[in-house]
Structures are given as C-alpha cells and as structure tokens.
C-alpha cells in the first residue's frame, strides 16, 4: 500500500511571500480583508520521492463589528498540468539513481 505522507524536515515547508490588508477596521458596512500568499513545499513518501511546490493564496474576510472571520477563500497558483508533472517527477538525482530501470 502506498502512503502519501510528508517527509521529515526540511520538508514540508511554508514561506510567507506577502500579505495585504484591504479596508479599515470598523469602517461601516465593509469587511476587513486580509490577503496572504505562501509557498508550500512538501515531498511525498512515494518511491521516487516527488517534491510538490506551489503558491497558496488565502483571502480572509472579517466582520467589522465582531472581527469574526466570515470568509476563507483559498487559491493555488499552479495549473492542473503542472501539479501532475510535479507528482510524476523524481525528487532529485540521488533518488533517481535508486530507482531500478524498467524493462529487460
């Protein structure tokens, strides 16, 4: 059975790229919005040790009166094709050298 679990440090990793605060706390009728972007990087526990990396964005909206979060919307800056390519690419030359050749 294959298990897809993150490996030991340094992976998985998160790195904050940027954040932006839009709107003003307490401004009538408008939510406080915080936009964040992080780089996510992890290695799957598969024989070829693929490394997956993408930019993960999150939009947080807060009610101006209670400051409770009302919206959490995630986005990923990676195409489906790139995700599949990363999944089937060996993690490093060291890993590739340990994979037995296919065929005769």
């Amino acid at each position: 059975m294959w298990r897809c679990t993150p490996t030991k440090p340094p992976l998985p990793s998160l790195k904050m790229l940027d954040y932006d605060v839009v709107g003003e706390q307490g401004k009538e009728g408008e939510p406080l919005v915080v936009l964040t972007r992080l780089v996510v990087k992890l290695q799957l526990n598969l024989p070829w040790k693929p490394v997956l990396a993408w930019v993960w964005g999150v939009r947080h909206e807060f009610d101006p009166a209670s400051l409770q979060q009302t919206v959490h919307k995630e986005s990923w800056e990676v195409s489906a094709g790139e995700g599949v390519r990363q999944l089937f690419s060996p993690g490093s030359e060291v890993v590739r050298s340990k994979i037995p050749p296919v065929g005769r």
Side-chain angles (χ1 to χ4, degrees):
M1 174 197 265
W2 298 106
R3 289 186 303 176
C4 295
T5 56
T7 61
K8 297 177 185 174
L11 297 177
S13 68
L14 288 173
K15 179 180 178 184
M16 176 72 76
L17 293 177
D18 54 58
Y19 71 93
D20 191 19
V21 178
V22 181
E24 296 179 26
Q25 179 179 342
K27 191 167 183 180
E28 191 65 35
E30 291 191 25
L32 174 65
V33 178
V34 178
L35 306 172
T36 60
R37 289 177 66 236
L38 302 99
V39 173
V40 178
K41 188 174 181 181
L42 57 91
Q43 185 174 46
L44 297 182
N45 191 20
L46 294 170
W48 59 95
K49 303 293 185 199
V51 174
L52 307 180
W54 65 94
V55 175
W56 174 39
V58 182
R59 177 185 177 96
H60 308 270
E61 291 185 17
F62 299 88
D63 177 83
S66 67
L67 293 181
Q68 289 187 331
Q69 186 171 351
T70 57
V71 175
H72 175 98
K73 184 176 180 182
E74 298 184 11
S75 62
W76 295 270
E77 295 178 27
V78 64
S79 68
E82 174 62 17
V84 170
R85 187 195 68 73
Q86 289 182 20
L87 181 61
F88 290 103
S89 296
S92 70
E93 184 60 40
V94 173
V95 172
R96 282 191 288 260
S97 68
K98 294 180 180 181
I99 299 173
V102 178
R104 300 175 208 191

